[in-house]
Amino acid sequence: MKIAVAGKGGSGKTTVSGTLARALARSGHSVLALDADANPMLGISLGVGPEETDRLLAVRQGVDAGETPHEPTTEGMVEAFGTRAPDGIRLVVASRIDSVAPGCQ
Ligand SMILES: Nc1ncnc2c1ncn2[C@@H]1O[C@H](COP(=O)(O)OP(=O)(O)OP(=O)(O)O)[C@@H](O)[C@H]1O
Ligand SMILES: [Mg+2]
């Protein structure tokens, strides 16, 4: 099952996404939460804390700046751009890449 949450600024996307992810995880589902927002704050909603949320943003920005290598595999992306959140959720911060390297997802 894939669920996408989109909408106007300030309409509650992050709050709804975090609540959905935690509710599904607590009911036994394996949850991969992908934050593709330009200002990724899902980590706050999921409870990973502000420092880890900022770290994930910095890793993504490193790709845009050419300082962090592209990840050719899904598993690699989850490791490089993700973290573990409460309730067993895996959070990944990734979005559109302006300059795509060969083999990049
Ligand atoms: N169901 C709700 N009832 C009351 N307040 C809410 C509800 N959902 C979200 N809010 C509040 O509305 C504000 C915006 O919510 P949220 O950050 O989830 O929106 P967003 O769409 O992700 O915003 P952005 O576009 O800035 O990323 C927050 O202050 C949040 O606490
Ligand atoms: Mg948001």
Coordinates of all heavy atoms in Angstrom, one line a residue:
M1 N 0.8 -1.2 0.0 CA 0.0 0.0 0.0 C 0.9 1.2 0.0 O 1.8 1.3 0.8 CB -0.9 0.0 1.3 CG -1.7 1.2 1.5 SD -2.9 1.1 2.8 CE -2.0 0.4 4.2
K2 N 0.6 2.2 -0.9 CA 1.3 3.4 -1.0 C 0.4 4.6 -0.7 O -0.7 4.6 -1.4 CB 2.0 3.6 -2.3 CG 3.1 2.6 -2.6 CD 3.7 2.8 -4.0 CE 4.7 1.7 -4.2 NZ 5.2 1.8 -5.6
I3 N 0.7 5.5 0.2 CA -0.2 6.6 0.5 C 0.6 7.9 0.3 O 1.7 8.0 0.8 CB -0.7 6.5 2.0 CG1 -1.5 5.3 2.2 CG2 -1.6 7.8 2.3 CD1 -1.9 5.1 3.7
A4 N 0.1 8.8 -0.5 CA 0.7 10.1 -0.8 C -0.1 11.1 -0.1 O -1.4 11.1 -0.2 CB 0.8 10.3 -2.3
V5 N 0.5 12.1 0.5 CA -0.2 13.2 1.2 C 0.3 14.5 0.5 O 1.5 14.8 0.6 CB 0.0 13.2 2.7 CG1 -0.7 14.4 3.3 CG2 -0.5 11.9 3.3
A6 N -0.6 15.2 -0.1 CA -0.3 16.5 -0.7 C -1.3 17.5 -0.4 O -2.4 17.2 0.0 CB -0.2 16.3 -2.2
G7 N -1.0 18.8 -0.6 CA -2.0 19.8 -0.4 C -1.3 21.2 -0.2 O -0.1 21.3 -0.4
K8 N -2.1 22.2 0.0 CA -1.6 23.6 0.1 C -0.7 23.7 1.4 O -0.8 22.9 2.3 CB -2.8 24.5 0.3 CG -3.7 24.7 -0.9 CD -4.9 25.6 -0.6 CE -4.5 27.0 -0.2 NZ -5.7 27.8 0.0
G9 N 0.1 24.8 1.3 CA 1.0 25.1 2.5 C 0.2 25.2 3.7 O -0.9 25.9 3.7
G10 N 0.6 24.6 4.8 CA 0.0 24.8 6.1 C -1.3 24.1 6.3 O -2.0 24.4 7.2
S11 N -1.7 23.2 5.4 CA -3.0 22.5 5.4 C -3.0 21.3 6.3 O -4.0 20.7 6.5 CB -3.4 22.2 4.0 OG -2.5 21.3 3.4
G12 N -1.8 20.9 6.8 CA -1.8 19.8 7.7 C -1.1 18.5 7.2 O -1.2 17.4 7.7
K13 N -0.4 18.6 6.0 CA 0.2 17.5 5.4 C 1.2 16.7 6.4 O 1.1 15.5 6.5 CB 1.0 17.9 4.2 CG 0.2 18.6 3.1 CD 1.1 19.0 1.9 CE 2.2 20.1 2.3 NZ 1.6 21.4 2.7
T14 N 2.0 17.4 7.0 CA 3.0 16.8 7.9 C 2.4 16.1 9.1 O 2.7 15.0 9.4 CB 4.1 17.8 8.3 OG1 4.7 18.3 7.2 CG2 5.1 17.2 9.2
T15 N 1.4 16.8 9.6 CA 0.7 16.2 10.8 C -0.1 15.0 10.4 O 0.0 14.0 11.1 CB -0.3 17.3 11.4 OG1 0.5 18.5 11.6 CG2 -0.9 16.8 12.7
V16 N -0.8 15.0 9.3 CA -1.5 13.9 8.8 C -0.6 12.7 8.5 O -0.9 11.6 8.9 CB -2.4 14.2 7.6 CG1 -3.0 13.0 6.9 CG2 -3.5 15.2 8.1
S17 N 0.5 13.0 7.8 CA 1.5 12.0 7.4 C 2.1 11.3 8.6 O 2.1 10.1 8.7 CB 2.6 12.6 6.6 OG 2.1 13.2 5.4
G18 N 2.5 12.1 9.6 CA 3.1 11.5 10.8 C 2.1 10.6 11.6 O 2.4 9.5 12.0
T19 N 0.8 11.1 11.7 CA -0.2 10.4 12.4 C -0.5 9.1 11.7 O -0.6 8.0 12.3 CB -1.4 11.2 12.6 OG1 -1.1 12.4 13.2 CG2 -2.5 10.5 13.4
L20 N -0.7 9.1 10.3 CA -1.0 7.9 9.5 C 0.2 6.9 9.7 O -0.1 5.7 9.9 CB -1.1 8.3 8.1 CG -2.5 8.6 7.5 CD1 -2.3 9.0 6.0 CD2 -3.4 7.4 7.6
A21 N 1.4 7.4 9.6 CA 2.6 6.5 9.6 C 2.6 5.8 11.0 O 2.8 4.6 11.1 CB 3.8 7.3 9.4
R22 N 2.4 6.5 12.1 CA 2.5 5.9 13.4 C 1.3 5.0 13.6 O 1.5 3.9 14.3 CB 2.6 7.0 14.4 CG 3.9 7.8 14.3 CD 4.3 8.6 15.5 NE 4.7 7.8 16.6 CZ 5.4 8.3 17.7 NH1 5.7 9.6 17.7 NH2 5.7 7.5 18.6
A23 N 0.1 5.4 13.2 CA -1.0 4.5 13.4 C -0.9 3.2 12.6 O -1.2 2.1 13.2 CB -2.3 5.2 12.9
L24 N -0.4 3.3 11.4 CA -0.1 2.0 10.6 C 0.9 1.2 11.2 O 0.8 -0.1 11.3 CB 0.2 2.4 9.2 CG -0.9 2.9 8.3 CD1 -0.4 3.6 7.0 CD2 -2.0 1.9 8.0
A25 N 2.0 1.8 11.7 CA 3.1 1.0 12.3 C 2.6 0.4 13.6 O 3.0 -0.8 13.8 CB 4.3 2.0 12.6
R26 N 1.9 1.1 14.4 CA 1.4 0.5 15.6 C 0.4 -0.7 15.4 O 0.2 -1.5 16.3 CB 0.7 1.6 16.5 CG 1.8 2.5 17.1 CD 1.1 3.6 17.9 NE 2.1 4.6 18.4 CZ 1.8 5.5 19.2 NH1 0.6 5.7 19.7 NH2 2.8 6.4 19.5
S27 N -0.2 -0.7 14.2 CA -1.2 -1.8 13.9 C -0.5 -2.9 13.2 O -1.1 -3.8 12.7 CB -2.4 -1.3 13.1 OG -2.0 -0.8 11.8
G28 N 0.9 -2.9 13.1 CA 1.6 -4.0 12.7 C 2.2 -3.9 11.3 O 2.9 -4.8 10.8
H29 N 1.9 -2.8 10.6 CA 2.4 -2.6 9.2 C 3.9 -2.2 9.2 O 4.3 -1.5 10.2 CB 1.6 -1.6 8.4 CG 0.2 -2.0 8.2 ND1 -0.1 -2.7 7.1 CD2 -0.9 -1.7 8.8 CE1 -1.4 -3.0 7.1 NE2 -1.9 -2.4 8.1
S30 N 4.7 -2.6 8.2 CA 6.0 -2.1 8.0 C 5.9 -0.8 7.3 O 5.4 -0.7 6.2 CB 6.8 -3.1 7.2 OG 8.1 -2.6 7.0
V31 N 6.4 0.3 7.9 CA 6.2 1.6 7.3 C 7.5 2.3 6.9 O 8.4 2.4 7.7 CB 5.5 2.5 8.3 CG1 5.3 4.0 7.7 CG2 4.1 2.0 8.7
L32 N 7.6 2.7 5.6 CA 8.7 3.5 5.1 C 8.1 4.9 4.9 O 7.2 5.0 4.0 CB 9.3 2.9 3.9 CG 10.4 3.8 3.2 CD1 11.6 3.8 4.1 CD2 10.8 3.2 1.9
A33 N 8.4 5.9 5.6 CA 7.9 7.2 5.5 C 8.9 8.1 4.7 O 10.0 8.3 5.1 CB 7.7 7.9 6.9
L34 N 8.4 8.6 3.5 CA 9.3 9.4 2.6 C 8.9 10.8 2.7 O 7.8 11.2 2.4 CB 9.1 8.8 1.2 CG 9.8 9.6 0.1 CD1 11.4 9.6 0.3 CD2 9.5 9.1 -1.3
D35 N 9.8 11.7 3.2 CA 9.6 13.1 3.2 C 10.2 13.8 2.0 O 11.4 13.9 1.9 CB 10.1 13.7 4.5 CG 9.6 15.1 4.8 OD1 8.9 15.7 3.9 OD2 9.8 15.6 5.9
A36 N 9.4 14.2 1.0 CA 9.9 14.8 -0.2 C 9.6 16.3 -0.2 O 9.7 17.0 -1.3 CB 9.3 14.1 -1.4
D37 N 9.3 16.9 0.9 CA 9.0 18.3 1.0 C 10.3 19.1 0.9 O 11.3 18.7 1.3 CB 8.3 18.6 2.4 CG 7.5 19.9 2.4 OD1 8.1 20.9 2.2 OD2 6.3 19.8 2.6
A38 N 10.1 20.3 0.3 CA 11.3 21.2 0.2 C 11.8 21.6 1.6 O 13.0 21.8 1.8 CB 10.9 22.5 -0.5
N39 N 10.9 21.6 2.6 CA 11.2 21.9 4.0 C 10.8 20.7 4.8 O 9.7 20.7 5.4 CB 10.5 23.2 4.5 CG 10.9 23.5 5.9 OD1 12.0 23.2 6.4 ND2 10.0 24.2 6.6
P40 N 11.6 19.6 4.8 CA 11.2 18.3 5.4 C 11.2 18.3 6.9 O 12.2 18.3 7.6 CB 12.3 17.4 4.9 CG 13.5 18.2 4.7 CD 13.0 19.6 4.3
M41 N 9.9 18.3 7.5 CA 9.7 18.4 8.9 C 9.0 17.1 9.4 O 8.6 17.1 10.6 CB 8.9 19.6 9.3 CG 9.6 20.9 9.1 SD 11.0 21.0 10.3 CE 12.4 21.4 9.2
L42 N 8.9 16.1 8.6 CA 8.2 14.9 9.0 C 8.9 14.2 10.2 O 8.3 13.6 11.1 CB 8.1 13.9 7.9 CG 7.2 12.6 8.1 CD1 5.8 13.0 8.6 CD2 7.2 11.8 6.9
G43 N 10.2 14.4 10.3 CA 11.0 13.8 11.4 C 10.5 14.4 12.8 O 10.4 13.7 13.8
I44 N 10.1 15.6 12.8 CA 9.5 16.2 14.0 C 8.2 15.5 14.4 O 8.0 15.1 15.5 CB 9.3 17.7 13.8 CG1 10.6 18.5 13.5 CG2 8.6 18.3 15.1 CD1 11.7 18.4 14.6
S45 N 7.4 15.4 13.3 CA 6.0 14.8 13.6 C 6.2 13.3 14.0 O 5.4 12.8 14.8 CB 5.2 14.9 12.3 OG 3.9 14.4 12.5
L46 N 7.2 12.6 13.5 CA 7.4 11.2 13.8 C 8.1 11.0 15.1 O 8.2 9.9 15.6 CB 8.2 10.5 12.7 CG 7.4 10.3 11.4 CD1 8.3 9.7 10.3 CD2 6.2 9.4 11.6
G47 N 8.7 12.1 15.6 CA 9.4 12.0 16.9 C 10.9 11.6 16.9 O 11.4 11.1 17.9
V48 N 11.6 11.9 15.8 CA 13.0 11.6 15.7 C 13.8 12.8 16.3 O 15.0 12.6 16.6 CB 13.5 11.3 14.3 CG1 12.7 10.2 13.7 CG2 13.5 12.6 13.4
G49 N 13.2 13.9 16.5 CA 13.9 15.1 17.2 C 14.4 16.0 16.2 O 14.7 15.7 15.0
P50 N 14.7 17.3 16.6 CA 15.1 18.3 15.7 C 16.5 18.1 15.1 O 16.8 18.4 14.0 CB 15.0 19.6 16.5 CG 15.0 19.1 18.0 CD 14.3 17.8 17.9
E51 N 17.4 17.6 16.0 CA 18.8 17.4 15.5 C 18.9 16.4 14.3 O 19.5 16.6 13.3 CB 19.7 17.0 16.6 CG 20.0 18.1 17.6 CD 20.8 17.7 18.8 OE1 21.4 16.5 18.7 OE2 21.0 18.4 19.7
E52 N 18.2 15.2 14.5 CA 18.2 14.2 13.5 C 17.5 14.7 12.2 O 17.8 14.4 11.1 CB 17.6 12.9 14.0 CG 17.7 11.7 13.1 CD 19.1 11.2 12.8 OE1 20.1 11.9 13.2 OE2 19.3 10.2 12.2
T53 N 16.4 15.4 12.4 CA 15.6 16.0 11.3 C 16.5 16.9 10.5 O 16.5 16.9 9.3 CB 14.4 16.7 11.8 OG1 13.6 15.8 12.5 CG2 13.6 17.3 10.7
D54 N 17.3 17.8 11.2 CA 18.2 18.7 10.5 C 19.3 17.9 9.8 O 19.8 18.3 8.7 CB 18.8 19.7 11.5 CG 17.8 20.8 11.9 OD1 16.8 20.9 11.3 OD2 18.1 21.5 12.9
R55 N 19.8 16.8 10.4 CA 20.9 16.1 9.8 C 20.4 15.5 8.5 O 21.2 15.5 7.5 CB 21.3 14.9 10.8 CG 22.5 14.2 10.3 CD 22.8 12.9 11.1 NE 21.8 11.9 10.9 CZ 21.8 11.0 9.9 NH1 22.8 11.1 8.9 NH2 20.9 10.1 9.8
L56 N 19.2 14.9 8.5 CA 18.7 14.3 7.2 C 18.6 15.4 6.1 O 18.9 15.1 5.0 CB 17.3 13.7 7.5 CG 17.4 12.4 8.3 CD1 15.9 11.9 8.6 CD2 18.2 11.3 7.6
L57 N 18.1 16.6 6.5 CA 18.1 17.7 5.5 C 19.4 18.0 5.0 O 19.6 18.2 3.7 CB 17.4 18.9 6.1 CG 17.4 20.2 5.3 CD1 16.7 19.9 3.9 CD2 16.8 21.3 6.0
A58 N 20.4 18.0 5.8 CA 21.8 18.4 5.4 C 22.3 17.3 4.5 O 23.0 17.6 3.5 CB 22.7 18.5 6.6
V59 N 22.0 16.0 4.7 CA 22.5 14.9 3.8 C 21.9 15.1 2.4 O 22.6 15.0 1.4 CB 22.1 13.6 4.4 CG1 22.4 12.5 3.4 CG2 22.8 13.3 5.7
R60 N 20.6 15.4 2.4 CA 19.9 15.7 1.1 C 20.5 16.9 0.4 O 20.8 16.8 -0.8 CB 18.4 15.8 1.3 CG 17.7 15.9 -0.1 CD 16.2 16.1 0.1 NE 15.9 17.5 0.4 CZ 14.7 18.0 0.6 NH1 13.7 17.2 0.5 NH2 14.5 19.2 0.9
Q61 N 20.8 17.9 1.1 CA 21.4 19.1 0.5 C 22.8 18.8 0.0 O 23.2 19.4 -1.0 CB 21.4 20.2 1.6 CG 20.1 20.8 1.9 CD 20.1 21.8 3.0 OE1 20.9 21.7 3.9 NE2 19.2 22.8 3.0
G62 N 23.5 17.9 0.6 CA 24.8 17.5 0.2 C 24.7 16.9 -1.2 O 25.7 17.1 -2.0
V63 N 23.7 16.2 -1.6 CA 23.5 15.6 -2.9 C 23.4 16.8 -3.9 O 24.0 16.8 -5.0 CB 22.3 14.7 -3.0 CG1 22.1 14.2 -4.4 CG2 22.5 13.5 -2.1
D64 N 22.5 17.7 -3.6 CA 22.3 18.9 -4.4 C 23.6 19.6 -4.7 O 23.8 20.2 -5.8 CB 21.2 19.8 -3.8 CG 19.8 19.2 -3.9 OD1 19.6 18.4 -4.7 OD2 19.0 19.6 -3.0
A65 N 24.4 19.7 -3.6 CA 25.7 20.5 -3.7 C 26.8 19.6 -4.3 O 27.9 20.1 -4.5 CB 26.1 20.9 -2.3
G66 N 26.5 18.4 -4.6 CA 27.6 17.5 -5.2 C 28.6 17.0 -4.2 O 29.6 16.4 -4.6
E67 N 28.3 17.1 -2.9 CA 29.2 16.7 -1.9 C 28.9 15.3 -1.4 O 29.8 14.6 -0.9 CB 29.1 17.6 -0.7 CG 29.5 19.1 -1.0 CD 28.9 20.1 0.0 OE1 28.2 19.6 0.9 OE2 29.2 21.3 -0.1
T68 N 27.7 14.8 -1.6 CA 27.2 13.5 -1.2 C 26.9 12.7 -2.4 O 26.2 13.2 -3.3 CB 26.0 13.6 -0.3 OG1 26.3 14.4 0.8 CG2 25.6 12.2 0.2
P69 N 27.5 11.5 -2.5 CA 27.3 10.7 -3.7 C 25.8 10.2 -3.9 O 25.1 10.1 -2.9 CB 28.2 9.5 -3.6 CG 28.4 9.4 -2.1 CD 28.3 10.8 -1.6
H70 N 25.4 10.1 -5.1 CA 24.1 9.5 -5.4 C 24.0 8.1 -5.0 O 25.1 7.4 -5.0 CB 23.8 9.6 -6.9 CG 23.6 11.0 -7.4 ND1 22.4 11.6 -7.6 CD2 24.5 12.0 -7.7 CE1 22.5 12.9 -8.0 NE2 23.8 13.1 -8.1
E71 N 22.9 7.6 -4.7 CA 22.7 6.2 -4.3 C 22.0 5.5 -5.4 O 20.8 5.8 -5.7 CB 21.9 6.1 -3.0 CG 22.7 6.4 -1.7 CD 23.9 5.4 -1.5 OE1 23.7 4.2 -1.9 OE2 24.9 5.8 -0.9
P72 N 22.6 4.4 -6.0 CA 22.0 3.7 -7.1 C 20.9 2.8 -6.7 O 20.1 2.3 -7.6 CB 23.1 3.0 -7.8 CG 24.1 2.8 -6.6 CD 23.9 4.0 -5.7
T73 N 20.8 2.4 -5.5 CA 19.8 1.4 -5.1 C 18.8 1.9 -4.0 O 19.1 2.8 -3.3 CB 20.5 0.1 -4.5 OG1 21.1 0.5 -3.2 CG2 21.5 -0.5 -5.4
T74 N 17.6 1.3 -4.0 CA 16.6 1.7 -3.0 C 17.2 1.5 -1.6 O 17.0 2.3 -0.7 CB 15.3 0.9 -3.2 OG1 14.9 1.1 -4.6 CG2 14.2 1.4 -2.3
E75 N 17.8 0.3 -1.4 CA 18.3 0.0 -0.1 C 19.4 1.0 0.3 O 19.4 1.4 1.5 CB 18.9 -1.4 0.0 CG 17.9 -2.5 -0.2 CD 17.5 -2.7 -1.7 OE1 18.1 -2.1 -2.6 OE2 16.5 -3.5 -1.9
G76 N 20.2 1.4 -0.6 CA 21.3 2.4 -0.4 C 20.7 3.7 0.0 O 21.2 4.4 0.9
M77 N 19.6 4.1 -0.7 CA 18.9 5.4 -0.3 C 18.3 5.4 1.1 O 18.4 6.3 1.8 CB 17.8 5.6 -1.3 CG 18.2 6.1 -2.7 SD 16.8 6.6 -3.7 CE 16.3 8.1 -2.8
V78 N 17.7 4.2 1.5 CA 17.2 4.1 2.8 C 18.3 4.3 3.9 O 18.1 4.9 4.9 CB 16.4 2.8 3.0 CG1 16.0 2.6 4.4 CG2 15.2 2.8 2.1
E79 N 19.4 3.7 3.6 CA 20.5 3.8 4.5 C 21.1 5.2 4.6 O 21.4 5.7 5.6 CB 21.6 2.8 4.2 CG 21.3 1.3 4.6 CD 21.0 1.2 6.1 OE1 21.8 1.8 6.9 OE2 20.1 0.5 6.5
A80 N 21.4 5.7 3.4 CA 22.1 7.0 3.3 C 21.3 8.2 3.7 O 21.7 9.2 4.3 CB 22.7 7.2 1.9
F81 N 20.0 8.2 3.3 CA 19.1 9.3 3.5 C 18.0 9.1 4.6 O 17.1 9.8 4.6 CB 18.5 9.7 2.2 CG 19.5 10.0 1.1 CD1 19.6 9.1 0.0 CD2 20.4 11.1 1.2 CE1 20.6 9.3 -0.9 CE2 21.3 11.3 0.2 CZ 21.5 10.4 -0.8
G82 N 18.2 8.0 5.3 CA 17.1 7.6 6.3 C 17.6 7.5 7.7 O 18.8 7.6 8.0
T83 N 16.6 7.3 8.6 CA 16.9 7.1 10.0 C 15.8 6.2 10.5 O 14.7 6.1 9.9 CB 17.0 8.4 10.7 OG1 17.6 8.2 12.0 CG2 15.7 9.1 10.9
R84 N 16.0 5.7 11.7 CA 15.0 5.0 12.4 C 14.2 5.9 13.3 O 14.7 6.7 14.1 CB 15.6 3.8 13.3 CG 16.3 2.8 12.4 CD 16.8 1.6 13.2 NE 17.5 0.7 12.3 CZ 16.9 -0.2 11.5 NH1 15.6 -0.3 11.5 NH2 17.6 -1.0 10.7
A85 N 12.8 5.7 13.2 CA 11.9 6.6 14.0 C 11.1 5.7 15.0 O 11.2 4.5 14.8 CB 11.0 7.3 13.0
P86 N 10.5 6.3 15.9 CA 9.7 5.5 16.9 C 8.6 4.6 16.2 O 8.3 4.8 15.0 CB 9.0 6.6 17.7 CG 9.9 7.7 17.7 CD 10.5 7.7 16.3
D87 N 8.2 3.5 16.9 CA 7.3 2.5 16.4 C 7.8 1.7 15.2 O 7.0 1.1 14.5 CB 5.9 3.2 16.0 CG 5.2 3.9 17.1 OD1 5.3 3.3 18.2 OD2 4.7 5.0 16.9
G88 N 9.1 1.7 15.0 CA 9.7 0.9 14.0 C 9.7 1.5 12.6 O 10.0 0.8 11.6
I89 N 9.3 2.8 12.5 CA 9.2 3.4 11.2 C 10.6 3.7 10.7 O 11.5 4.1 11.4 CB 8.3 4.7 11.3 CG1 6.9 4.4 11.7 CG2 8.4 5.6 10.0 CD1 6.1 5.6 12.1
R90 N 10.8 3.6 9.3 CA 12.0 4.1 8.7 C 11.6 5.4 8.0 O 10.7 5.4 7.2 CB 12.5 3.1 7.7 CG 13.0 1.8 8.2 CD 14.1 2.0 9.2 NE 15.3 2.6 8.6 CZ 16.4 2.0 8.2 NH1 16.4 0.7 8.2 NH2 17.4 2.7 7.7
L91 N 12.3 6.4 8.3 CA 12.1 7.8 7.7 C 13.2 8.0 6.7 O 14.4 7.9 7.0 CB 12.1 8.9 8.7 CG 12.1 10.3 8.2 CD1 10.8 10.6 7.4 CD2 12.3 11.3 9.4
V92 N 12.8 8.4 5.5 CA 13.8 8.8 4.4 C 13.4 10.2 3.9 O 12.3 10.5 3.6 CB 13.7 7.8 3.2 CG1 14.6 8.3 2.1 CG2 14.2 6.4 3.7
V93 N 14.5 11.0 3.8 CA 14.3 12.4 3.3 C 15.0 12.4 1.9 O 16.2 12.3 1.8 CB 14.9 13.5 4.2 CG1 14.8 14.8 3.5 CG2 14.1 13.5 5.5
A94 N 14.2 12.5 0.9 CA 14.7 12.5 -0.5 C 13.7 13.2 -1.4 O 12.5 13.2 -1.1 CB 14.9 11.1 -1.0
S95 N 14.2 13.8 -2.5 CA 13.3 14.5 -3.4 C 13.9 14.6 -4.8 O 14.9 14.0 -5.0 CB 12.9 15.9 -2.9 OG 14.1 16.6 -2.8
R96 N 13.3 15.3 -5.6 CA 13.8 15.5 -7.0 C 15.2 16.0 -7.0 O 15.6 16.8 -6.2 CB 12.9 16.5 -7.7 CG 13.3 16.6 -9.2 CD 12.3 17.6 -9.9 NE 12.4 18.9 -9.4 CZ 13.2 19.9 -9.9 NH1 14.0 19.6 -11.0 NH2 13.3 21.1 -9.4
I97 N 16.0 15.4 -7.9 CA 17.4 15.7 -8.0 C 17.6 16.5 -9.3 O 17.2 16.1 -10.3 CB 18.3 14.5 -7.9 CG1 18.1 13.8 -6.6 CG2 19.8 14.8 -8.2 CD1 18.7 12.4 -6.5
D98 N 18.2 17.7 -9.2 CA 18.4 18.5 -10.3 C 19.4 18.0 -11.3 O 19.2 18.0 -12.5 CB 18.8 20.0 -9.9 CG 17.6 20.7 -9.3 OD1 16.4 20.4 -9.7 OD2 17.8 21.5 -8.4
S99 N 20.6 17.5 -10.8 CA 21.6 17.0 -11.7 C 21.8 15.5 -11.4 O 22.4 15.1 -10.4 CB 22.9 17.7 -11.5 OG 23.3 17.7 -10.1
V100 N 21.2 14.7 -12.3 CA 21.2 13.2 -12.0 C 22.4 12.6 -12.5 O 22.9 12.8 -13.6 CB 19.9 12.6 -12.7 CG1 19.9 11.1 -12.5 CG2 18.7 13.3 -12.3
A101 N 23.0 11.7 -11.7 CA 24.2 11.0 -12.0 C 23.8 9.7 -12.7 O 22.7 9.2 -12.5 CB 25.1 10.7 -10.8
P102 N 24.7 9.1 -13.6 CA 24.3 7.8 -14.2 C 24.0 6.8 -13.2 O 24.6 6.6 -12.2 CB 25.6 7.5 -15.0 CG 26.4 8.8 -15.1 CD 26.0 9.6 -13.9
G103 N 22.9 6.1 -13.5 CA 22.5 5.0 -12.6 C 21.6 5.5 -11.4 O 21.2 4.7 -10.6
C104 N 21.5 6.8 -11.3 CA 20.7 7.3 -10.1 C 19.2 6.9 -10.3 O 18.7 6.9 -11.3 CB 20.9 8.8 -10.1 SG 19.9 9.5 -8.7
Q105 N 18.6 6.6 -9.1 CA 17.2 6.3 -9.1 C 16.4 7.4 -9.8 O 15.3 7.1 -10.4 CB 16.6 6.1 -7.7 CG 17.3 4.9 -7.0 CD 16.6 3.6 -7.4 OE1 16.0 3.5 -8.5 NE2 16.6 2.7 -6.5
Ligands
LIG1 N1 -6.1 18.5 12.6 C1 -5.6 19.6 13.0 N2 -6.2 20.4 13.9 C2 -5.7 21.5 14.4 N3 -4.5 22.0 14.0 C3 -3.8 21.2 13.1 C4 -4.3 20.0 12.6 N4 -3.4 19.5 11.7 C5 -2.4 20.4 11.7 N5 -2.6 21.4 12.5 C6 -1.7 22.5 12.8 O1 -1.6 23.2 11.6 C7 -0.3 23.7 11.3 C8 0.2 23.2 10.0 O2 0.2 21.8 10.0 P1 1.4 21.0 9.2 O3 2.7 21.5 9.5 O4 1.1 19.6 9.4 O5 1.0 21.5 7.7 P2 1.8 21.3 6.4 O6 0.8 21.2 5.3 O7 2.7 20.2 6.5 O8 2.6 22.7 6.3 P3 3.8 23.1 5.3 O9 3.1 23.4 4.0 O10 4.3 24.3 6.0 O11 4.7 21.9 5.3 C9 0.5 23.2 12.5 O12 0.7 24.3 13.4 C10 -0.3 22.1 13.1 O13 -0.1 22.0 14.5
MG2 MG 4.8 20.1 6.2

